[in-house]
Amino acid sequence: MTQEEDIRRAVETMRGGGVILYPTDTVWGIGCDATNAEAVAKVYAIKQRDDSKAMICLVDSDARLQRYVRNVPNVAWELMDCAEKPLTVILDGATGLAPNLVAADGSVAMRITKEAFSRQLCFRFQKPVVSTSANISGQPAAQNYCDIAPELLEAVDYVCWSRRQEHKPHTPSSIVRLRLNGEVEIIRK
């Protein structure tokens, strides 16, 4: 299967409210349409995770990020530009996303992916894609396809083919919380 066909099938699945497993710029992820509350609820159920713990969204560009966050502080752009590894930023003022994806304080965790597959997936989907590690809550994240638990493979609607043969170390993103008042908090290095 070509990468283009793989992305087409993943996008169709998410447009239909389905959940996918896919390779990201970090570890393998469970994903869905970040604007669809029912799909987001399915992801929480698959992960056996409390929906009070917010999940990350991937986008393909600065412009897409700005469509879903009211005011992106300048420091966010500076940090993302100089980050040496994938950086997730938690920003105030989420808009247009599934309510069960947005934290109680109105913030959302977003990352602009630069990795070829996930970037193209987000571009073709034209909306943010949920990106939470492919694991049951509390278990180790799946660095590669071979690390994904069988029950997760069976629980989703589509499993991407791209990068399944990869066997190399992957780590989760760094996470930084940025508040509109200029406060910066490092959540994960």
Side-chain angles (χ1 to χ4, degrees), residues 32-45:
C32 71
D33 177 350
T35 67
N36 181 327
E38 288 179 20
V40 170
K42 288 181 199 174
V43 174
Y44 282 119

Side-chain angles (χ1 to χ4, degrees), residues 75-106:
V75 69
W77 304 118
E78 294 167 18
L79 287 171
M80 288 186 282
D81 286 345
C82 70
E84 294 179 11
K85 70 181 243 183
L87 175 67
T88 299
V89 289
I90 301 173
L91 301 165
D92 293 325
T95 185
L97 296 168
N100 52 346
L101 188 62
V102 178
D105 66 1

Side-chain angles (χ1 to χ4, degrees), residues 161-180:
W161 289 90
S162 298
R163 293 179 43 204
R164 282 192 186 187
Q165 302 307 316
E166 220 172 64
H167 293 283
K168 62 183 188 179
H170 294 277
T171 56
S173 68
S174 298
I175 302 177
V176 176
R177 173 77 165 99
L178 304 174
R179 298 202 184 269
L180 290 176

